[in-house]
Amino acid sequence: MAKPVLMAIDDDPEVLRAVSRDLKRRYGDRYRVLDAGSGAAGLELVAELERRQEPLALFVADQRMPEMSGTAFLAEAGTRYPEAKRVLLTAYADTDAAIEAINRAHIDHYLLKPWHPPEEKLYPVLDDMLADWQAAFKPAFQGVRLIDARWSPAAHLLKGFLARNQVPYVWLDAEHHAEARRIVEAAGAGPDDLPLIVCPDGSTLLRATPALVAEKVGLRTQAEAAYYDLVITGGGPTGLAAAVYGGSEGLETLLVEREAPGGQAGESSLIENYLGFPAGVSGADLAHRAAAQARRFGVQMLVPQEVTGLEVDGPYRRLRFADGSAVSCHALVVATGVSYRRLEIPGAAELTGAGVYYGAAAAEVAALRGQDVVVVGGGNSAGQAAMHLSRFARGVTVVVRAADLNASMSRYLIDRLAETPNVTVRCGTRPVAVAGHGHLERIDLDVGGSPLTLPAAAAFVFIGAKPRTDWLADHVQRDAQGYLLTGADLVGDDGRVPNWPLAREPYPLETNLPGVFAAGDVRHGSVKRVASGVGEGAMAVALVHRYLATL
Ligand SMILES: Cc1cc2nc3c(=O)[nH]c(=O)nc-3n(C[C@H](O)[C@H](O)[C@H](O)COP(=O)(O)OP(=O)(O)OC[C@H]3O[C@@H](n4cnc5c(N)ncnc54)[C@H](O)[C@@H]3O)c2cc1C
């Protein structure tokens, strides 16, 4: 964090030099001393410091300045930094001015010129004031400030992106937060320019998107090299495991992740069945540790960056990214997992991100304190989300299409939901519409043929998931749902693998395109678990070595 500033303002260069010198001598190790030759120049400096959110502890301003008096300066500067201590420099004849300054600019002290020797006349006074200031000083928040309306879908996207990439941020409500309004005004921005982001270095981003913010907060979106031994698409547990093994075993490895490391697991509030964590581990924590581990082994990670195409050039596999850039590799591990199915009922598309959320949307949960929410779905992920929400929301209704939860949810979760007083499970029920002005307010349900409308501030949707593998369709065989076929699953009725060019059989996790492997949830027939994804990620790298040895 920047050192707090002590600012001296005087139009007399000699006096200004003397004040600055004495301030630096005593306080230079803990404070930054800045000076200005006029009130106007001083105010410009103050505005710049405010824009960069740097702390300012003390003003020392001379009363006698031709264009703006010290009192006028301190009154104005004090509106920007109300906590900063204010000292007016006066000559003997200026006692009236000092009294006016006490009333008008709320100065803390007036100091008679000259102040020699400073050890007696200056430092004791300033020591006292600065100790006071330090005691009340709360260091400014050093992360990203995100300013937008409460129900903005664009802000929802950014909150999730920042949280899941471990970037500290605060959200300020553009409509109701005074500081947010001031920042928007200072940036000359209007409602169409939101979301507005203030970065830790003080710079602002209008109409911010994850890709724009990524660059500002130091996430890499562009590959350093044109070629890698191994590229991994998808940074869920499977991709992260492949990255750790690839990097630790000496392969030049690139991992490309569309949103944030962690994948679906990153959304889980508590993974209770992953080996070695008897008290459970949050998905975010697991993802954070795995990403750090992969980076430690020299893996390069592009976040956020989406793989949109695959081309084959002899032994090279060339991957195209959403921003038009591309990289080549010899081996590719596809670990793109699955994405939530969308709720296809009236109102859902319009309210997505404004009360209708896919997945756990952890960043929104705290804001729902004391409100009624709905969880749609009957699987373990829906059960976990309902349990997590029950700690914040007034009431949680779980809407389940099936007649009971037995076939879709683990017993321990069914029991926990039943024991939690503010959770209601409605089986044999399906949502038919969502509605609200600008954000979700209610959900219409069909309960075994009878209509029911519930008030809801948010609906979290977990109605199954499907792989998004269209970008591979020209080269790689998929099943009817889009899951990638590998190994023995590729063998047709005639005992052969269609379009397979090599004498050997495909390796277990290999697709019909040699050197392209699929692991984790995206793979046809995979067990949809964190541990199995991690296992397949590690195994895929062992098979990559085998493949590379044949080139
Ligand atoms: C809420 C919830 C709770 C769960 N709880 C548990 C649990 O307690 N225990 C358990 O064992 N399992 C649990 N699961 C299941 C587990 O999380 C998944 O099986 C696991 O995450 C699968 O890992 P994966 O890496 O194969 O895929 P995913 O986790 O789906 O990761 C795929 C990643 O690929 C990225 N991606 C997709 N397409 C592209 C592209 N074109 N370019 C770049 N990146 C792309 C995605 O953004 C994503 O980050 C839970 C799942 C959910 C949703």
Side-chain angles (χ1 to χ4, degrees):
M1 197 188 71
K3 285 184 197 170
V5 167
L6 310 181
M7 189 184 288
I9 304 96
D10 205 315
D11 67 322
D12 179 336
E14 215 169 292
V15 179
L16 188 60
R17 250 196 317 276
V19 184
S20 295
R21 182 202 57 217
D22 287 348
L23 289 177
K24 278 181 191 151
R25 190 146 64 86
R26 175 90 164 191
Y27 305 107
D29 57 334
R30 288 160 289 150
Y31 294 87
R32 200 149 64 95
V33 177
L34 298 179
D35 55 35
S38 68
L43 288 179
E44 266 176 41
L45 257 180
V46 170
E48 178 61 17
L49 291 170
E50 190 192 23
R51 199 178 63 74
R52 289 200 256 144
Q53 294 170 26
E54 289 191 26
L56 199 158
L58 174 82
F59 296 110
V60 181
D62 198 331
Q63 170 63 6
R64 290 250 165 127
M65 295 190 288
E67 275 151 30
M68 180 184 279
S69 70
T71 303
F73 169 82
L74 289 172
E76 177 64 28
T79 61
R80 308 259 181 163
Y81 279 95
E83 317 300 338
K85 299 292 172 189
R86 302 165 206 186
V87 175
L88 189 73
L89 283 181
T90 64
Y92 284 108
D94 280 348
T95 11
D96 285 349
I99 290 164
E100 193 212 339
I102 291 169
N103 294 331
R104 202 180 133 202
H106 306 294
I107 62 166
D108 296 282
H109 194 81
Y110 64 91
L111 192 67
L112 300 184
K113 292 190 280 189
W115 55 86
H116 201 75
E119 278 70 17
E120 267 175 38
K121 296 191 174 152
L122 180 69
Y123 296 148
V125 175
L126 297 193
D127 282 355
D128 240 22
M129 271 193 271
L130 290 174
D132 241 25
W133 180 85
Q134 279 289 356
F137 172 59
K138 290 187 205 73
F141 172 71
Q142 290 296 300
V144 160
R145 282 153 200 263
L146 162 61
I147 298 166
D148 205 342
R150 163 76 181 91
W151 296 106
S152 155
H156 164 65
L157 197 72
L158 278 170
K159 283 185 212 168
F161 173 76
L162 292 167
R164 296 185 60 204
N165 280 293
Q166 316 266 330
V167 179
Y169 78 92
V170 283
W171 163 70
L172 304 177
D173 188 331
E175 284 154 17
H176 302 113
H177 200 288
E179 191 191 344
R181 285 202 299 265
R182 212 173 55 227
I183 294 173
V184 170
E185 206 181 293
D192 291 345
D193 296 317
L194 303 180
L196 184 155
I197 289 271
V198 185
C199 302
D201 66 358
S203 60
T204 49
L205 269 179
L206 305 181
R207 276 157 276 136
T209 61
L212 289 173
V213 176
E215 278 181 35
K216 284 283 186 183
V217 299
L219 293 171
R220 172 183 283 279
T221 58
Q222 296 295 314
E224 222 166 55
Y227 166 84
Y228 293 83
D229 300 325
L230 169 64
V231 173
I232 300 155
T233 58
T238 308
L240 287 168
V244 167
Y245 285 90
S248 66
E249 291 168 15
L251 297 176
E252 284 297 322
T253 304
L254 177 75
L255 183 143
V256 188
E257 165 54 46
R258 189 177 56 192
E259 290 165 16
Q264 298 166 69
E267 300 202 10
S268 171
S269 47
L270 197 62
I271 299 168
E272 298 195 57
N273 55 2
Y274 188 60
L275 188 72
F277 293 90
V281 57
S282 80
D285 194 16
L286 195 64
H288 174 58
R289 286 159 184 265
Q293 202 173 2
R295 286 198 175 99
R296 212 191 102 221
F297 287 125
V299 173
Q300 208 177 98
M301 286 198 200
L302 307 188
V303 185
Q305 183 62 272
E306 184 172 5
V307 180
T308 53
L310 171 66
E311 287 152 25
V312 178
D313 179 8
Y316 294 102
R317 278 65 185 116
R318 192 174 154 77
L319 288 158
R320 258 184 291 110
F321 299 151
D323 66 355
S325 57
V327 296
S328 288
C329 59
H330 270 134
L332 169 67
V333 173
V334 181
T336 47
V338 291
S339 311
Y340 292 106
R341 264 181 223 284
R342 301 272 135 171
L343 198 56
E344 281 168 17
I345 56 174
E350 296 79 4
L351 294 172
T352 295
V356 174
Y357 303 117
Y358 292 90
E364 304 295 342
V365 172
L368 295 164
R369 205 173 282 277
Q371 307 196 54
D372 291 316
V373 302
V374 168
V375 172
V376 183
N380 279 347
S381 44
Q384 281 183 2
M387 284 308 302
H388 184 57
L389 284 160
S390 70
R391 292 164 42 206
F392 300 87
R394 180 170 58 186
V396 182
T397 302
V398 185
V399 174
V400 186
R401 186 190 282 251
D404 61 46
L405 289 171
N406 296 328
S408 57
M409 197 180 284
S410 301
R411 190 71 241 169
Y412 81 96
L413 267 176
I414 299 177
D415 293 343
R416 283 210 198 148
L417 292 179
E419 287 160 10
T420 308
N422 62 339
V423 174
T424 309
V425 178
R426 284 186 173 274
C427 292
T429 303
R430 61 186 183 89
V432 289
V434 285
H437 295 290
H439 61 92
L440 181 71
E441 287 168 336
R442 61 189 180 279
I443 180 162
D444 295 338
L445 303 172
D446 175 334
V447 189
S450 313
L452 172 71
T453 296
L454 294 179
F460 296 85
V461 182
F462 300 83
I463 51 168
K466 59 174 185 180
R468 284 209 239 147
T469 50
D470 290 348
W471 60 277
L472 284 161
D474 290 346
H475 299 285
V476 173
Q477 281 197 35
R478 307 182 297 160
D479 69 11
Q481 282 79 45
Y483 289 95
L484 304 184
L485 294 171
T486 55
D489 292 330
L490 288 162
V491 181
D493 292 343
D494 58 356
R496 300 161 66 102
V497 175
N499 305 322
W500 177 251
L502 304 179
R504 67 167 172 85
E505 304 270 281
Y507 297 131
L509 300 179
E510 199 171 22
T511 65
N512 61 297
L513 183 60
V516 174
F517 297 81
D521 279 15
V522 75
R523 192 177 65 77
H524 169 86
S526 62
V527 178
K528 309 289 185 275
R529 288 282 184 274
V530 174
S532 49
V534 167
E536 288 194 12
M539 181 175 156
V541 172
L543 298 166
V544 164
H545 282 296
R546 241 200 263 178
Y547 170 75
L548 292 177
T550 66
L551 291 181

